[in-house]
């Protein structure tokens, strides 16, 4: 629906707590992969890619959007995703971060959080998913 009518993304987020709920679901630190995180990340990526107001809503009071996305991405800094579904989850999280960082307010939150200040590991420790992580810094 959102691909056909992008303005629908603004309405969905504006009239519900869906954005906050999706962020909470995606940022859950699970020890194993859960399909619900994948589905939530896909919906979140669609909502953010198609709407500037939704990107700006990540910085709203109490939302903690960029921090939540960084928490979700942090689990893939030391290990690569296992399987296609988990790889897709990782890609969705980075797509969400890219969409969010289109807005200056989110870039400021990114800079003030752990986004930039992390040391670069030795080259032999860089995994493909971690390579994506460093690319976006």
């Amino acid at each position: 629906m959102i691909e056909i009518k992008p303005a629908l993304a603004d309405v969905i987020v504006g009239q519900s707590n869906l954005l906050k709920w999706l962020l909470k679901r995606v940022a859950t630190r699970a020890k194993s992969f859960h399909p619900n995180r994948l589905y939530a990340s896909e919906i979140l990526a669609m909502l953010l890619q198609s709407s500037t107001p939704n990107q700006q809503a990540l910085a709203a009071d109490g939302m903690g959007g960029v921090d939540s996305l960084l928490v979700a991405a942090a689990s893939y800094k030391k290990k690569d995703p296992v399987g296609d579904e988990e790889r897709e989850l990782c890609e969705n999280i980075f797509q969400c971060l890219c969409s969010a960082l289109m807005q200056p307010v989110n870039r400021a939150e990114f800079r003030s959080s752990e986004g930039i200040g992390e040391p670069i590991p030795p080259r032999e420790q860089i995994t493909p998913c971690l390579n994506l992580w460093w690319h976006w810094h």
Side-chain angles (χ1 to χ4, degrees):
M1 284 292 269
I2 293 173
E3 291 176 359
I4 296 170
K5 196 170 185 181
L8 197 59
D10 298 341
V11 174
I12 291 170
V13 170
Q15 296 180 357
S16 70
N17 290 327
L18 182 62
L19 193 62
K20 192 170 190 169
W21 186 86
L22 290 170
L23 282 168
K24 184 178 177 183
R25 177 65 65 188
V26 170
T28 302
R29 288 187 186 241
K31 294 190 185 220
S32 61
F33 173 78
H34 196 282
N36 285 344
R37 280 186 77 204
L38 173 61
Y39 303 141
S41 70
E42 287 177 359
I43 294 169
L44 186 59
M46 284 188 278
L47 291 173
L48 294 176
Q49 288 172 354
S50 61
S51 171
T52 299
N54 289 349
Q55 294 167 358
Q56 294 169 342
L58 284 176
D61 291 337
M63 187 71 68
V66 173
D67 284 334
S68 296
L69 292 172
L70 288 172
V71 166
S75 60
Y76 298 107
K77 285 177 61 179
K78 294 185 180 177
K79 71 172 186 85
D80 272 340
V82 179
D84 292 338
E85 289 182 330
E86 194 170 2
R87 182 173 302 282
E88 186 176 352
L89 169 64
C90 184
E91 290 172 1
N92 289 339
I93 291 168
F94 283 103
Q95 286 175 359
C96 290
L97 269 171
C98 290
S99 295
L101 294 176
M102 297 297 287
Q103 301 306 312
V105 67
N106 290 329
R107 286 195 297 267
E109 185 179 343
F110 181 79
R111 279 187 215 104
S112 69
S113 60
E114 68 179 57
I116 291 179
E118 302 207 8
I120 297 175
R123 186 158 182 77
E124 61 273 3
Q125 291 180 5
I126 296 179
T127 61
C129 198
L130 184 58
N131 195 20
L132 271 176
W133 172 265
W134 292 116
H135 175 72
W136 297 118
H137 276 63

